[in-house]
Amino acid sequence: MTSIQKANAPPRGTADMLVVKDNALINASYNLELVEQRLILLAIIEARETGKGINANDALTIHASSYIQNFNVQKHTAYGALKDACRDLFSRQFSYQELSPKGNVINQTSRWVSQIGYIQEEGSVQLIFAPAVVPLITQLEQQFTSYDLEQVSTLKSKYATRLYEILISWRSVGKTPMIGLEELRGKLGLGVNDYKLLANFKLRVLELALEQINEHTDIFVKYEQHKKGRSIIGFSFKFKQKQQSKIEKPIDQKRDPKTVDMFTGKTDAETKNIARAVVKDTSPPANPLLHRASRITTSIITHKLHERFKHGDEGLSSTLKRIQGEIMEGGEETADYWQSKLEDFGINFD
């Protein structure tokens, strides 16, 4: 499928529980309850972690224990939630757009799943994604959004989860264009009779969602209203990454230094050697610009930000050397640019 969304996809994250969705799906209009959204997310992770992948023939299994662990709920709550979600998810639909071979817009509608069942004795759900969904949930698409499940695990509003997904599809620029009011309502899954008064929409949907996102996720968001005359016609959003120290997971002290990192393809020892190769000496060199370049590339290694700044299939070493080369060629202005980008992740260069 060819997604209409043409904005550059944000870079891959490095979290263990990674959710990957095509931007056509992120920008689709659908109405899923919170439990149903969570079930979809767990199915995506199940496919990724087990290596099964997602297709239209094989079932994926989601256990109640996974729901309990990821969303911090009681056992009886998880069992009841999954059972109810099975009953309702089969009837849920979503609409999205794609381009025909001639370049015309096709307005598509699809179910989420073609089959779903709850196994009472095992406390598990088995589901098969609908054929239209399969190519939209994949790690191999060029247009995708990825995020750590942990970021939405404590969100209690279904609108907060949807809005978070929409926002981070613009992570690379930190802001969205103006989204029309009716378009935003559709993306959040609101029906024509849901919160029709703008004041109720802002209070019960938008501001509630932003309050939860700002408190529980890795970004801080503000919104702006856009008016035509006296009428509000849409909203735009700006957001920043929170301090890295607040969202960074503790390093596993028991990790074997010979273990190959799944994202860099290098062992911890090799990563340190790369750092030493790029930054041979931590003492200030005679060239101040080289010193700044060294600090910037060292910070990228230390905070494991290579995935955010790599180009295509570029490896860790190549990424660091490229960035250092850009700084040495572009001078202090380029160094300021890279330092500013890293400061957005809470890195202090004082």
Side-chain angles (χ1 to χ4, degrees):
M1 291 188 176
T2 304
S3 168
I4 284 181
Q5 175 69 25
K6 295 297 184 184
N8 288 334
R12 285 184 174 88
T14 56
D16 293 334
M17 301 289 284
L18 197 67
V19 177
V20 182
K21 288 186 178 180
D22 188 282
N23 279 346
L25 194 54
I26 293 293
N27 291 302
S29 298
Y30 60 81
N31 179 17
L32 291 178
E33 295 302 322
L34 182 61
V35 175
E36 296 162 0
Q37 290 188 51
R38 289 174 169 180
L39 186 57
I40 294 290
L41 299 181
L42 290 177
I44 294 171
I45 291 170
E46 166 71 12
R48 180 177 184 269
E49 289 194 329
T50 61
K52 291 180 178 178
I54 295 174
N55 60 62
N57 298 310
D58 300 321
L60 295 167
T61 301
I62 300 92
H63 296 278
S65 58
S66 178
Y67 192 94
I68 293 168
Q69 178 181 354
N70 284 290
F71 301 111
N72 193 29
V73 299
Q74 298 296 320
K75 183 176 180 180
H76 68 277
T77 301
Y79 278 68
L82 292 181
K83 187 175 183 179
D84 291 342
C86 282
R87 182 188 63 229
D88 299 328
L89 186 56
F90 183 76
S91 62
R92 300 292 188 189
Q93 298 178 341
F94 69 96
S95 59
Y96 64 101
Q97 294 180 323
E98 63 176 353
L99 297 177
S100 73
K102 294 184 178 181
N104 298 316
V105 176
I106 306 174
N107 294 303
Q108 301 278 30
T109 301
S110 171
R111 293 184 185 272
W112 283 92
V113 295
S114 59
Q115 180 176 314
I116 187 168
Y118 179 71
I119 306 174
Q120 180 78 38
E121 293 76 15
E122 299 177 11
S124 64
V125 173
Q126 289 189 343
L127 65 82
I128 299 176
F129 280 110
V133 177
V134 172
L136 296 179
I137 305 178
T138 172
Q139 298 176 74
L140 303 178
E141 295 289 338
Q142 292 182 347
Q143 297 291 337
F144 71 92
T145 290
S146 62
Y147 60 91
D148 184 350
L149 180 65
E150 181 184 6
Q151 301 306 330
V152 297
S153 64
T154 54
L155 299 180
K156 303 302 182 185
S157 164
K158 65 178 182 179
Y159 306 120
T161 301
R162 279 294 292 131
L163 184 57
Y164 177 83
E165 289 188 336
I166 294 166
L167 293 176
I168 64 166
S169 69
W170 297 91
R171 191 196 293 273
S172 60
V173 291
K175 60 182 179 181
T176 72
M178 193 272 283
I179 304 174
L181 177 58
E182 291 307 313
E183 180 185 359
L184 181 60
R185 287 175 57 89
K187 289 178 183 291
L188 295 176
L190 292 170
V192 292
N193 294 319
D194 295 331
Y195 304 108
K196 291 192 293 185
L197 291 177
L198 183 61
N200 286 341
F201 168 75
K202 289 174 60 179
L203 179 64
R204 303 294 183 184
V205 178
L206 188 58
E207 293 178 0
L208 174 63
L210 291 178
E211 180 182 351
Q212 293 187 14
I213 289 171
N214 288 338
E215 181 178 354
H216 296 295
T217 75
D218 56 347
I219 58 175
F220 184 81
V221 190
K222 293 182 179 180
Y223 74 88
E224 180 181 351
Q225 300 178 156
H226 295 264
K227 292 185 176 181
K228 186 175 183 179
R230 293 187 176 184
S231 300
I232 295 175
I233 60 172
F235 299 86
S236 60
F237 302 86
K238 293 182 178 180
F239 57 96
K240 290 186 177 181
Q241 198 80 17
K242 292 180 181 176
Q243 293 284 335
Q244 188 76 9
S245 58
K246 294 181 181 180
I247 61 172
E248 193 173 62
K249 293 182 179 180
I251 297 173
D252 184 359
Q253 299 297 331
K254 298 180 180 179
R255 177 182 168 107
D256 187 339
K258 296 182 180 180
T259 299
V260 176
D261 187 276
M262 65 181 294
F263 297 101
T264 65
K266 307 278 186 188
T267 66
D268 290 347
E270 288 172 332
T271 300
K272 291 179 180 178
N273 288 336
I274 290 172
R276 283 193 288 270
V278 175
V279 188
K280 295 181 179 179
D281 189 354
T282 57
S283 61
N287 186 333
L289 183 59
L290 178 61
H291 178 53
R292 289 192 69 186
S294 298
R295 293 188 66 194
I296 288 168
T297 51
T298 300
S299 296
I300 290 172
I301 297 171
T302 303
H303 293 82
K304 298 183 178 181
L305 294 173
H306 152 251
E307 287 287 329
R308 293 190 178 275
F309 302 129
K310 74 174 187 178
H311 287 174
D313 296 329
E314 197 174 49
L316 174 60
S317 179
S318 297
T319 301
L320 298 176
K321 290 178 179 178
R322 173 180 54 78
I323 292 172
Q324 190 174 53
E326 289 177 2
I327 294 171
M328 296 307 297
E329 182 178 345
E332 296 292 340
E333 184 176 347
T334 303
D336 290 341
Y337 165 79
W338 277 104
Q339 186 168 319
S340 176
K341 286 181 75 71
L342 295 180
E343 285 173 350
D344 288 341
F345 290 90
I347 300 173
N348 191 345
F349 284 88
D350 293 337

